[in-house]
Amino acid sequence: MKRILVDMDGVLADVYSQFLKLEADETGVLRNRDETNGKLESEAFPFYEKHVRSKGFFRTVPVMKGSVEGLEYLNGKYEIIILSSATEFPQSLSEKELWLNEYYPFIDWTQMVFCGRKDVVSGDIMIDDHPKNLNFFPGEKIIFTQPHNIRLIVPNCKRASDWDEIVKML
Amino acid sequence: MKRILVDMDGVLADVYSQFLKLEADETGVLRNRDETNGKLESEAFPFYEKHVRSKGFFRTVPVMKGSVEGLEYLNGKYEIIILSSATEFPQSLSEKELWLNEYYPFIDWTQMVFCGRKDVVSGDIMIDDHPKNLNFFPGEKIIFTQPHNIRLIVPNCKRASDWDEIVKML
């Protein structure tokens, strides 16, 4: 059975919605997601550092549309490992696991990896929104469209705009 | 540069001392470590489940003797990845990273992996106290002596009784 490495932020967790909401709470202005196209989250959101390090950010992030049904389908067909860059933010670790347990209860604790760099983890297929993770990966690669990567072409990489497209590909 | 996968509990973290202390707090009796020889922690300690899931267990665990100096020495000579089975206990994740940051400040967040199963992570050398992790590992293996493994012979595996021995081997 092939192993898929599935990213969290920007693939399962809709972090853009969370950043936009928290920014609107500060400024009173809810920006359109398209305004952030082509920029990394840290460039697009002036309060990025404050918000990403705040208690509850990862525990309350919205679920990406279609990801629960999509991941549950793939979980029967492939060996699924949730692979999240998380150790940059120590408080995020427990929040991320509790969030997974709440929304994806079919994923058990043996299927989770929280790390600082993804190239130490092996798999056959990687689904991620960041080219920095996909570039080194030797297997099949799927970039999940998010505003920061919307204008990029990643070599040897399929692109999925949403979870329906992922399910059709796999 | 060869990559070493270094376990936390029973290699960097002296979990037996923590279990014995917490047990003594409950019962008033501080048992000798040797009484637990040949038993997994979950068998040796009647309050195992309560204590391992309690807030602060991993944040306050004593550091294994010699591990700070030993790991700092290896960190210049090898690529070090701290690899800990941690997702069984969601609250442990953030505690473990904060504990590493406090006692091993030369290890940065890119060198940490918290997982549920270790066979998805690749490396050249593994230092671990549990045969279940070492058995599948295709590289060089070092079993770190702890009471639960003291009577076991693990095939194709060197044994280190303390951190001085690890440093001499590597």
Side-chain angles (χ1 to χ4, degrees), chain A residues 3 79 81 85-95 97-98 101 109-117 119-123, chain B residues 3 79 81 85-95 97-98 101 109-117 119-123:
Chain A
R3 182 186 300 154
E79 181 189 318
I81 295 288
S85 285
T87 53
E88 187 176 358
F89 309 113
Q91 95 290 349
S92 77
L93 291 162
S94 297
E95 292 192 13
E97 178 161 359
L98 294 171
N101 289 345
W109 60 266
T110 67
Q111 294 174 275
M112 300 174 191
V113 179
F114 301 103
C115 66
R117 43 181 274 208
D119 62 338
V120 300
V121 179
S122 62
Chain B
R3 182 185 301 153
E79 182 190 320
I81 295 288
S85 286
T87 53
E88 187 176 358
F89 309 113
Q91 95 290 349
S92 77
L93 290 163
S94 297
E95 292 192 13
E97 178 161 359
L98 294 171
N101 290 344
W109 60 267
T110 67
Q111 295 175 273
M112 302 175 190
V113 179
F114 301 104
C115 65
R117 44 181 274 210
D119 63 339
V120 299
V121 180
S122 62

Side-chain angles (χ1 to χ4, degrees), chain B:
Chain B
M1 192 181 268
K2 283 189 175 179
R3 182 185 301 153
I4 309 183
L5 308 179
V6 181
D7 182 29
M8 282 183 74
D9 301 336
V11 174
L12 298 178
D14 184 0
V15 290
Y16 273 78
S17 289
Q18 182 79 320
F19 279 121
L20 288 166
K21 179 193 168 293
L22 293 175
E23 183 180 275
D25 291 345
E26 300 256 1
T27 64
V29 180
L30 181 61
R31 283 195 293 163
N32 188 297
R33 180 178 299 238
D34 293 349
E35 289 176 36
T36 67
N37 282 355
K39 294 176 185 165
L40 288 172
E41 297 97 317
S42 55
E43 298 162 347
F45 300 106
F47 301 99
Y48 172 84
E49 274 291 330
K50 175 182 173 184
H51 289 158
V52 81
R53 292 183 186 278
S54 65
K55 190 168 155 51
F57 181 90
F58 292 99
R59 186 65 187 87
T60 63
V61 66
V63 166
M64 195 70 75
K65 186 172 172 292
S67 66
V68 173
E69 302 79 1
L71 192 63
E72 188 159 24
Y73 168 76
L74 295 180
N75 195 40
K77 205 173 163 190
Y78 294 88
E79 182 190 320
I80 298 292
I81 295 288
I82 308 300
L83 177 59
S84 179
S85 286
T87 53
E88 187 176 358
F89 309 113
Q91 95 290 349
S92 77
L93 290 163
S94 297
E95 292 192 13
K96 284 188 169 207
E97 178 161 359
L98 294 171
W99 184 86
L100 285 173
N101 290 344
E102 178 173 350
Y103 296 107
Y104 308 82
F106 49 87
I107 297 292
D108 70 41
W109 60 267
T110 67
Q111 295 175 273
M112 302 175 190
V113 179
F114 301 104
C115 65
R117 44 181 274 210
K118 296 191 175 182
D119 63 339
V120 299
V121 180
S122 62
D124 302 293
I125 301 166
M126 175 179 267
I127 305 172
D128 208 290
D129 64 320
H130 276 286
K132 70 180 176 190
N133 296 322
L134 294 159
N135 282 336
F136 73 80
F137 188 68
E140 189 179 336
K141 316 182 219 201
I142 300 172
I143 189 164
F144 192 84
T145 298
Q146 288 286 274
H148 67 81
N149 69 37
I150 205 157
R151 296 173 186 156
L152 300 177
I153 295 170
V154 183
N156 306 313
C157 189
K158 293 178 190 167
R159 181 177 280 277
S161 298
D162 55 33
W163 268 89
D164 286 346
E165 287 190 15
I166 289 180
V167 167
K168 279 178 200 150
M169 280 177 193
L170 298 171

